[in-house]
Amino acid sequence: MLAKLAWNGMKSKRKDYIILLAGLVMSIAIFYMFQTLALNRDFTSENAMISSMQLVFNVGSCLLAAVTFFYILYTNMFLLSLRQQEYGMFMLLGAKKQYIKRLMFVENLLIGIIALIIGIAAGAGLSQLTAELIMGQLDVTLEGYQPFYLPSLAVTLLFFLVLFFVTAVWNHIKLSRLQVLELVHAETKSDQVPQQPKKNIVTITAGILALAAGWLSLIFMESLRELGVFSAAIMTTLGTYLLFSSLLPVITNAMKKKQKWNENGIQSFTLSQLTFRIHSLKKLLATAAMLIALGAGAISGGMAFKNNAENIAERSAVYDAVVHSPTAEEEEILEDITFTEAAEYRYKKGEEYNYYLKEDLEKQRPQIQLTTDNVKRVEADLPDQEGSLEEVEEESASIPNEWSQFLTMTAAEDYSRRPLIVSNALYDDIEAEEQVVFIGKADDFLAYRDQWAKLDELREEKLASSEEVMASTSKYSMYENYNTIATGTVFMGFFLGIAFLAMMASCLMFKVLSGAAKDIPRYEMLRKIGVPKKLLNQSVFKELFLVFLFPALLGITHVLIGMNMFSFIIVNPYYRIWISLLLFTTIYVLYYLLTVKMYKSVVLPEEK
Amino acid sequence: MIDSVVNVSNVSKVYGSKGENQFQALEEVSFSMQEGEFIGIMGASGSGKTTLLNTISTLDNVSRGQIEIAGTTITEMKEQALADFRARKLGFIFQDFNLLESMTVYENIALPLFLQKMGRGRVKEKVQHVADILDIRDILSKYPAIISGGQKQRTAAARALVHNPSIILADEPTGALDSSNAASLLETLQRLNEEHQVSIMMVTHDAYSASYCERILFLEDGQLYKQINKNGTREEFFKNILDEQAEAGRKKL
Ligand SMILES: Nc1ncnc2c1ncn2[C@@H]1O[C@H](COP(=O)(O)OP(=O)(O)OP(=O)(O)O)[C@@H](O)[C@H]1O
Ligand SMILES: [Mg+2]
C-alpha cells in the first residue's frame, strides 16, 4: 500500500525524476565512454604517440571516478530532498520507520539500476557516434576501437553498483538519524541566511600555492616525467578547489557590495541570487573548471597533434613542390597552384655528378633552411670554373656549403649523385640529356593537398620506370607520414575531450535545474510586483553568465598553461590553438544558452 | 468621479476555455472604492475573493467588464504596460510574505525603487521613512530568514508602501501570523490608512481582521451580495460582521 503511495509520489514529481535520471544516465554513459578507450590497451598502445599514454588514461580514470563520485553524491542529496518530506509525512501518519527505510533503500537501488541500464546503452551509442563522427572528420578508419567493449562494461557496472550501494546505505543511516519532524519540515529549512564570507587568507594562499605547483608541473613536465603527471593532476585540482571555495564568495560579495552595481534595477536581485547561491555552487564550479580544463585540454592536445603535421612538413622543406622535368600532366597540375616563389634550374646527369647550370642558379637564388626556425636566401658566391670538367670535378668539395645544401637536399632527385656547378661553356659540352628541376612554394601548402598527392603519385610512377635508387622524400609525404602516425592520438584527444565536456555540461546543468524549482516563487513574486518580463529574462541571463564564466576562465587558463606539456613532442603546441579554443567556446556558449532556456522554462513559464 | 481610486463595473470571470468544464468564479461584480478607503472583502472559501483581488491587481484578466484604477482602465492594457502599472501604482502584501531571502530587509524594501532606477540617496531616505512608520528600522540589515513572522509581514508592508502606490492590495495578510502579530499588523494598516491616507483593499475570511476596515464587501459564489459600513466603534463593527456571517451560514442550511 505504502509502496503504491510512494510510487504515486514519484509520479507527481515526474519532472524532477527526469532531471535526476538524466543526470545519472549521463554520468554513467560518459564513464563508460571513457573506459572504452582507457581499458582497450591494444588500441591505445597501437595508436598513441606518447609512450606513457596508459598513465595518462589511468590518471584520467581516477579524476573521472572522483568527479563521478561527487556527482552521484550530489544527485543522491537531490533524491533525498525530493523524498524526505513525503516519507516524513508517512511516518507522521504511523508508518514504521523500518519499513520506510526499506522503501527508500529499494527506491535508491531501483533508480540506480534503471539508470545503469539506460546509461550503458546510451554510453555505447554515444561512443559509437563519437567515434564515427571523429573518424569521419579526420577522414580515417582506425582498427580496434570497440564502442561495445566488455571489460569497460564490467568496470562501469561494478563501479556504479558499488556507488549506488554506498549512497543507499548512506541514506539509510541518514534516515535513521533524522526525527520525523525534521523530515516533514525539510523543505522549509533550506531558507538560510546568506553567509558572510570569511576572507580566509590561509585557504586562498594554499590554493594559490597548490595552483602554482600544478602549473609548474605542467610547464616542466618534460623533466619531471611521471612525477609531473601526478603532481600536475593532484595540485591543479587541489588548487582549483581551494581557490574556488575561498575566493568565489569573496568575489561575488565584493560585486554585491559595490553599490553602484547592486542598487541598480534588477541587478540587486541578480547579484543577491548569485551571492546566495555561490556557497552551494562553488565546489561544483571547481569541478566544472577541472572538467573544462580536461575537455578543452584534450581537444586542444588532439588538435595540436593534428596541426603539428603542417609544422613538421614546414620544417622538412622550404619548397612545397619539386618536380624534375615535368610531364604534360604534371605541368597541368602545377598550373592550378598559385606559387609565391618558383624557379627552374637546368642540369645534366652524369655518372657520378649532377651538373647544374651556373647561370640559372645565379639568377634565381633559392632559400634554404639553416636550422629549424631559420630560413634564408643563399648568399654565397658561386664558384668560378676556369678549367676543364675534370678539374672542376676534382674541386667538387669547394662548392660553398649553402649551395651544396640546396642542391643535395632540395634540387636532387636522387641522393646518389653529388652536385657540381658548371659554366655555360662546360655545360654545353656535357653529353647528356638536359633536365630541368622545378621548385615552387605555394601560397598555402594545406590548400593544395590534392595536387601534392597527385604529383607524388606521378613521381612514383616515373621513378618506378627508372633506375634511381635513393629518391628524396617530398614535403607532402612527410606531412602524410606524420598524419598517419598522429591520427590515433588525435582521435583519443577529441574523444576524451567530448566525453569530459559532456560530463561538465551534465554536472552544471543538473545543478542549475535541480535548484530551479526553489526559485519559482521568487520569480513569481517579482512578476507580481511589476518587474517586466524583459528584466527577469536579463537577470537569468546575467546570473547564469557569471556562473558559467568563472569555471571557463580558470579552465582555459589551465589549458593554456597545460599545453606546455606537449612541447617535447610537438613543434609548437600553441600553433592555431585559437581554433580549438573557438570550438570550445562555441560549444560552451551553445550549452549556456540551452541551460538558460531550460532554466527559464522552469522559473518563467510562458503565459498564454 | 475624480476621487474614486478603483472602479469595478460588471466584472465576470470564467475559468477554463470553451468546451472544457468551465467555472464562473465572478459574476457581474460592480463596486467602487474612494481614495483613502480601507475596504475588506469577505466570503466563504471558494467564493472568489482571491480571484477578485487578482483581477484588480492586474495579475489575472477578466472575461467581461471593466476595471479602472486611478483613472486608468486596466482591462484594456497590454502585458508590458500592466507590469509597469503594477510597479508604479500598486503595492502587494502576500499571505506568505514572499520576501527574497537572498536579500537583506533593506534591499527587499528598496527593490521597487531600484527597479525605478531611483537615485541612491533618495532610496535610502524613502526606505528609512517607511521603516520608521512600520517600526522595523533596527532590522534593516538583517536577512529575512532570521526575523520573526510579524517582522517579515511588516517588511512586506514596507515594500508595498515604499513607492507611494495608489492602492495597497493584501490577500490574507494575517494568514500566517499569530494573533498578537496579526493585531499589530492590522493596527499598522489602519494607521497607514488614517494618518497617511493610503487606500487599502484586503481579502480576509476572519471577522476580527475585517473589523479594522471601514467597509466590507461580501462575496458568495462569485457574486457581490452585500456590503456593510462601519458606523461606530470597531467592537460594534466586529459584531455586525459576525452577525452577517451567521446570517449567511443560516441561509446555507
Ligand atoms: N486558475 C483557476 N482555474 C480554475 N478554477 C479556478 C482557478 N482559480 C480559482 N478557481 C476557482 O474559482 C473559485 C474561486 O476561487 P478563489 O481563489 O477566488 O477563492 P477564495 O474566495 O479566495 O477562497 P479562499 O478563501 O479559500 O482563498 C474556486 O471555486 C476555485 O476553485
Ligand atoms: Mg484566496
Side-chain angles (χ1 to χ4, degrees):
Chain A
M1 183 58 210
L2 264 186
K4 190 150 182 254
L5 277 178
W7 172 244
N8 284 340
M10 280 174 83
K11 276 202 294 195
S12 68
K13 292 194 170 177
R14 206 176 319 129
K15 231 179 174 175
D16 294 308
Y17 275 94
I18 289 174
I19 294 177
L20 175 74
L21 211 57
L24 290 176
V25 164
M26 272 314 274
S27 70
I28 294 167
I30 292 158
F31 189 85
Y32 171 83
M33 195 174 156
F34 185 87
Q35 297 303 339
T36 57
L37 260 191
L39 293 179
N40 194 340
R41 281 181 202 188
D42 292 341
F43 177 77
T44 53
S45 54
E46 181 88 354
N47 288 289
M49 284 184 82
I50 309 171
S51 54
S52 50
M53 197 64 175
Q54 201 50 53
L55 181 72
V56 173
F57 274 112
N58 290 342
V59 173
S61 287
C62 290
L63 277 177
L64 191 65
V67 167
T68 312
F69 177 72
F70 286 112
Y71 186 24
I72 296 293
L73 272 192
Y74 183 74
T75 55
N76 180 58
M77 253 142 71
F78 179 60
L79 174 68
L80 206 61
S81 78
L82 283 181
R83 299 309 269 160
Q84 44 192 3
Q85 208 175 11
E86 197 173 311
Y87 282 147
M89 195 61 81
F90 289 166
M91 283 199 252
L92 203 64
L93 299 177
K96 285 213 180 63
K97 202 167 189 179
Q98 209 53 40
Y99 184 72
I100 295 289
K101 282 197 288 194
R102 219 169 333 131
L103 209 59
M104 183 84 196
F105 196 81
V106 171
E107 184 184 325
N108 257 308
L109 284 189
L110 212 64
I111 290 180
I113 287 166
I114 294 173
L116 257 177
I117 294 170
I118 307 177
I120 288 176
L126 214 60
S127 306
Q128 169 89 40
L129 204 74
T130 315
E132 269 176 24
L133 195 80
I134 299 173
M135 287 188 198
Q137 281 297 310
L138 295 177
D139 207 11
V140 290
T141 36
L142 292 172
E143 297 296 325
Y145 175 72
Q146 290 166 279
F148 192 81
Y149 192 59
L150 274 182
S152 317
L153 184 91
V155 166
T156 312
L157 269 179
L158 199 70
F159 180 73
F160 280 95
L161 278 180
V162 169
L163 259 188
F164 287 137
F165 189 76
V166 168
T167 52
V169 169
W170 197 65
N171 287 348
H172 198 262
I173 296 171
K174 199 163 173 201
L175 218 52
S176 316
R177 288 230 197 98
L178 285 173
Q179 299 298 312
V180 177
L181 275 182
E182 282 178 287
L183 286 175
V184 177
H185 295 306
E187 206 110 291
T188 43
K189 242 176 64 182
S190 63
D191 291 355
Q192 336 134 328
V193 189
Q195 299 161 22
Q196 279 304 309
K198 297 182 283 286
K199 278 203 183 124
N200 199 335
I201 302 292
V202 180
T203 324
I204 294 179
T205 322
I208 292 175
L209 286 181
L211 212 53
W215 284 352
L216 285 176
S217 316
L218 284 172
I219 294 171
F220 299 108
M221 184 71 83
E222 199 179 346
S223 33
L224 291 171
R225 306 251 140 200
E226 269 80 10
L227 181 71
V229 177
F230 282 112
S231 66
I234 294 171
M235 289 319 235
T236 319
T237 314
L238 188 69
T240 306
Y241 274 88
L242 288 177
L243 261 197
F244 264 47
S245 52
S246 57
L247 216 51
L248 274 189
V250 177
I251 292 176
T252 50
N253 219 51
M255 280 167 75
K256 189 166 150 56
K257 280 269 161 58
K258 204 162 159 71
Q259 287 183 337
K260 220 159 85 196
W261 291 352
N262 188 36
E263 308 197 343
N264 178 10
I266 193 71
Q267 211 130 291
S268 57
F269 172 68
T270 315
L271 288 177
S272 59
Q273 276 279 87
L274 189 65
T275 352
F276 189 50
R277 226 192 285 258
I278 207 75
H279 289 279
S280 64
L281 270 179
K282 57 196 182 187
K283 291 206 185 69
L284 182 99
L285 291 186
T287 310
M290 284 315 292
L291 286 171
I292 288 171
L294 292 172
I299 290 182
S300 305
M303 199 75 116
F305 274 99
K306 187 162 168 51
N307 289 332
N308 198 32
E310 192 188 343
N311 282 328
I312 291 274
E314 218 47 66
R315 289 183 158 208
S316 71
V318 180
Y319 294 100
D320 303 333
V322 177
V323 183
H324 292 268
S325 308
T327 62
E329 202 176 345
E330 283 171 328
E331 291 279 9
E332 205 170 301
I333 297 170
L334 291 175
E335 291 281 295
D336 289 346
I337 300 166
T338 317
F339 287 103
T340 52
E341 186 183 335
E344 278 185 327
Y345 305 102
R346 281 170 287 175
Y347 71 99
K348 285 182 179 168
K349 278 184 195 166
E351 279 291 309
E352 231 180 299
Y353 295 102
N354 280 333
Y355 305 97
Y356 291 92
L357 191 57
K358 183 176 169 185
E359 187 185 81
D360 285 356
L361 294 173
E362 185 88 78
K363 276 195 210 138
Q364 317 167 65
R365 285 176 178 265
Q367 297 185 72
I368 52 167
Q369 189 139 25
L370 285 182
T371 58
T372 43
D373 298 311
N374 190 0
V375 173
K376 66 168 280 197
R377 204 163 283 284
V378 175
E379 285 165 356
D381 286 335
L382 286 156
D384 306 311
Q385 291 102 359
E386 302 296 325
S388 65
L389 198 58
E390 283 73 31
E391 282 167 357
V392 174
E393 283 176 9
E394 222 133 87
E395 285 172 26
S396 67
S398 71
I399 297 181
N401 247 338
E402 292 183 350
W403 281 111
S404 76
Q405 190 190 335
F406 168 69
L407 292 173
T408 45
M409 305 297 288
T410 308
E413 183 166 32
D414 184 329
Y415 294 138
S416 60
R417 292 195 193 80
R418 280 178 289 147
L420 273 185
I421 300 170
V422 293
S423 61
N424 273 1
L426 283 176
Y427 183 81
D428 287 342
D429 287 346
I430 298 167
E431 280 186 30
E433 205 181 324
E434 185 177 81
Q435 311 273 340
V436 62
V437 54
F438 169 88
I439 62 169
K441 188 166 177 53
D443 54 351
D444 180 1
F445 174 71
L446 289 183
Y448 301 109
R449 272 174 293 184
D450 292 345
Q451 281 86 339
W452 307 143
K454 189 78 189 133
L455 282 176
D456 270 9
E457 205 177 294
L458 292 171
R459 176 165 178 252
E460 196 85 349
E461 284 168 20
K462 267 204 290 189
L463 285 177
S465 58
S466 74
E467 74 283 12
E468 309 286 353
V469 272
M470 290 163 68
S472 56
T473 21
S474 73
K475 186 166 172 175
Y476 179 70
S477 67
M478 292 291 283
Y479 171 82
E480 261 308 295
N481 288 344
Y482 182 86
N483 242 353
T484 317
I485 323 173
T487 303
T489 316
V490 177
F491 173 80
M492 288 180 225
F494 282 14
F495 192 89
L496 295 186
I498 290 171
F500 281 128
L501 287 186
M503 187 73 179
M504 181 276 309
S506 164
C507 275
L508 257 182
M509 190 175 274
F510 182 78
K511 178 78 196 183
V512 170
L513 292 183
S514 64
K518 285 204 182 108
D519 292 334
I520 295 174
R522 295 183 194 144
Y523 284 93
E524 172 78 8
M525 187 278 285
L526 288 173
R527 209 177 54 78
K528 277 187 183 167
I529 68 168
V531 183
K533 201 148 180 199
K534 213 176 79 198
L535 278 187
L536 292 179
N537 264 334
Q538 271 177 20
S539 177
V540 169
F541 268 101
K542 250 188 224 168
E543 187 191 335
L544 289 182
F545 175 77
L546 288 172
V547 165
F548 274 74
L549 182 70
F550 293 126
L553 283 183
L554 194 60
I556 293 299
T557 314
H558 286 339
V559 173
L560 287 177
I561 292 171
M563 287 310 280
N564 266 306
M565 182 163 75
F566 295 113
S567 53
F568 74 99
I569 194 169
I570 288 178
V571 179
N572 178 7
Y574 293 95
Y575 178 68
R576 293 212 178 143
I577 193 165
W578 62 268
I579 295 183
S580 20
L581 292 186
L582 190 73
L583 187 74
F584 161 75
T585 313
T586 316
I587 297 175
Y588 198 63
V589 167
L590 283 180
Y591 164 61
Y592 156 73
L593 292 176
L594 182 71
T595 312
V596 168
K597 197 172 148 50
M598 293 179 70
Y599 180 74
K600 270 193 351 196
S601 77
V602 178
V603 298
L604 297 172
E606 275 311 317
E607 282 151 82
K608 5 158 205 123
Chain B
M1 262 194 297
I2 304 164
D3 52 351
S4 82
V5 262
V6 180
N7 230 327
V8 178
S9 43
N10 307 319
V11 163
S12 296
K13 171 77 188 172
V14 180
Y15 281 120
S17 49
K18 271 203 185 92
E20 287 172 38
N21 48 341
Q22 293 189 326
F23 183 83
Q24 176 125 31
L26 291 178
E27 205 178 333
E28 299 287 316
V29 175
S30 298
F31 71 95
S32 66
M33 177 180 178
Q34 309 302 99
E35 199 167 340
E37 245 190 320
F38 188 176
I39 286 190
I41 297 173
M42 291 192 78
S45 181
S47 57
K49 305 183 293 289
T50 301
T51 307
L52 178 61
L53 200 76
N54 280 350
T55 55
I56 294 172
S57 54
T58 79
L59 293 172
D60 210 344
N61 50 357
V62 300
S63 305
R64 271 189 312 281
Q66 252 195 4
I67 298 175
E68 228 177 79
I69 299 179
T72 316
T73 312
I74 57 161
T75 36
E76 286 162 8
M77 284 160 76
K78 292 269 177 303
E79 172 63 31
Q80 189 81 39
L82 281 179
D84 190 52
F85 182 83
R86 281 204 294 277
R88 288 176 191 282
K89 296 286 161 72
L90 306 182
F92 292 94
I93 307 177
F94 307 98
Q95 175 174 350
D96 46 4
F97 323 131
N98 254 319
L99 297 175
L100 295 169
E101 62 270 34
S102 56
M103 298 167 91
T104 59
V105 168
Y106 177 89
E107 288 168 327
N108 264 292
I109 299 173
L111 189 60
L113 302 182
F114 289 158
L115 290 169
Q116 290 176 16
K117 310 241 161 185
M118 189 180 279
R120 235 183 302 152
R122 281 195 59 209
V123 170
K124 196 164 181 187
E125 208 176 283
K126 290 197 144 219
V127 171
Q128 274 174 353
H129 179 66
V130 288
D132 280 339
I133 297 177
L134 291 159
D135 195 25
I136 45 173
R137 228 192 145 127
D138 299 336
I139 56 163
L140 281 180
S141 61
K142 293 192 173 159
Y143 283 93
I146 56 162
I147 63 178
S148 76
Q151 287 170 327
K152 277 185 200 166
Q153 199 56 304
R154 269 180 282 147
T155 304
R159 182 183 61 194
L161 202 65
V162 75
H163 54 299
N164 301 110
S166 306
I167 177 171
I168 287 186
L169 301 159
D171 193 353
E172 309 258 11
T174 55
L177 297 178
D178 62 30
S179 57
S180 77
N181 270 321
S184 136
L185 178 79
L186 290 163
E187 272 158 28
T188 312
L189 290 181
Q190 195 176 36
R191 194 155 46 81
L192 282 174
N193 173 251
E194 281 168 3
E195 291 170 17
H196 301 267
Q197 283 76 47
V198 180
S199 315
I200 303 173
M201 187 181 292
M202 175 173 83
V203 163
T204 181
H205 62 265
D206 154 48
Y208 176 76
S209 299
S211 68
Y212 283 86
C213 303
E214 288 167 7
R215 181 155 67 114
I216 310 280
L217 308 177
F218 286 94
L219 271 180
E220 194 181 62
D221 299 333
Q223 282 175 317
L224 205 59
Y225 78 96
K226 177 138 198 172
Q227 48 173 307
I228 55 174
N229 286 305
K230 176 149 95 185
N231 296 320
T233 63
R234 193 164 64 77
E235 283 69 27
E236 285 168 10
F237 195 39
F238 178 54
K239 276 211 190 73
N240 282 352
I241 298 168
L242 282 181
D243 289 346
E244 192 51 52
Q245 280 185 315
E247 179 75 21
R250 250 197 309 280
K251 267 202 293 193
K252 277 242 163 84
L253 288 175

